[in-house]
């Protein structure tokens, strides 16, 4: 984990220029990669989590963009300044909007053997939806509302449950410092 004085020194020395003066920054064999989504996709490809061919890779990417759209829509509601409007917006978000987003995502899923979202094995798409909706400390402030949102989406629910059951993921989560995903 980078500390503030170390970050400031790296920024002043130009070591963060390739990442627009920000973190995260991943260095691989002397090459620097900035931007969290670029790093995410790079690592997924390196780890065999971008599907088994270029079409599946595009489908994984499509679902990743769907997650980004959901987050952006939520942030608009979360950012409301008027407390009454914000409460009404949040209630509607978890009762209607998020379930609707999940239903749309379900309809967009490519045909496949299941239980995972794309192809026959876990992909970045599964991890992204998992961290959005089901992981401990998921993206949403209302974890129960997030979990309820996908209950009527059988493919999405099966993929999330299969991802949640992965032994490697369970081990990682058990050792991970408790922070939001």
């Amino acid at each position: 984990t980078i500390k503030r004085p170390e970050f400031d020194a790296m920024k002043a020395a130009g070591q963060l220029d390739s990442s627009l003066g920000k973190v995260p920054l991943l260095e691989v064999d002397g090459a620097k990669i900035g931007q969290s989504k670029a790093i995410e996709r790079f690592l997924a490809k390196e780890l065999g989590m971008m599907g088994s061919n270029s079409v599946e890779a595009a489908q994984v990417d499509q679902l990743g963009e769907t997650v980004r759209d959901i987050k952006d829509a939520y942030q608009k509601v979360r950012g409301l300044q008027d407390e009454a409007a914000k409460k009404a917006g949040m209630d509607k978000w978890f009762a209607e909007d998020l379930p609707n987003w999940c239903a749309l995502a379900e309809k967009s899923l490519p045909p496949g053997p299941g239980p995972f979202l794309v192809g026959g094995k876990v992909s970045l798409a599964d991890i992204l939806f998992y961290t959005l909706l089901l992981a401990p400390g998921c993206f949403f402030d209302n974890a129960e509302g997030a979990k309820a949102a996908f209950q009527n989406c059988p493919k999405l629910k099966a993929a999330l449950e299969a991802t949640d059951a992965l032994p490697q993921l369970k081990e990682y989560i058990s050792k991970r410092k408790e922070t939001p995903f």
Side-chain angles (χ1 to χ4, degrees), residues 103-117:
L104 286 172
E106 174 97 0
K107 287 180 186 179
S108 79
L109 295 176
F116 298 108
L117 297 176

Side-chain angles (χ1 to χ4, degrees), residues 4-58:
R4 186 69 203 202
E6 182 183 6
F7 171 82
D8 291 339
M10 290 174 71
K11 188 172 181 177
Q15 294 175 335
L16 299 176
D17 288 351
S18 61
S19 62
L20 309 175
K22 301 185 285 186
V23 290
L25 174 68
L26 177 66
E27 190 167 340
V28 179
D29 299 329
K32 293 181 179 179
I33 304 165
Q35 297 288 357
S36 60
K37 295 299 175 188
I39 293 168
E40 208 173 68
R41 288 188 295 268
F42 170 80
L43 291 173
K45 186 174 181 183
E46 291 294 303
L47 297 169
M49 296 180 72
M50 283 298 289
S52 60
N53 57 52
S54 58
V55 171
E56 284 186 2

Side-chain angles (χ1 to χ4, degrees), residues 71-172:
K71 288 179 175 183
D72 289 348
Y74 177 68
Q75 291 301 352
K76 287 179 184 175
V77 175
R78 195 167 181 255
L80 292 172
Q81 298 301 310
D82 179 79
E83 286 303 315
K86 184 175 182 175
K87 182 182 180 332
M90 292 297 250
D91 289 347
K92 181 179 178 290
W93 175 262
F94 288 102
E96 299 173 28
D97 299 342
L98 186 55
N100 288 340
W101 275 106
C102 290
L104 286 172
E106 174 97 0
K107 287 180 186 179
S108 79
L109 295 176
F116 298 108
L117 297 176
V118 177
K121 63 180 186 168
V122 67
S123 71
L124 176 60
D126 298 292
I127 299 299
L128 293 173
F129 269 93
Y130 178 75
T131 58
L132 180 74
L133 296 169
L134 189 59
C138 72
F139 176 78
F140 295 105
D141 302 330
N142 177 350
E144 289 305 312
K147 188 174 181 179
F150 64 84
Q151 295 304 308
N152 292 325
C153 302
K155 291 180 186 176
L156 185 56
K157 182 178 179 185
L160 289 167
E161 289 172 351
T163 302
D164 189 49
L166 291 169
Q168 305 93 321
L169 185 58
K170 285 186 174 296
E171 180 182 352
Y172 168 74

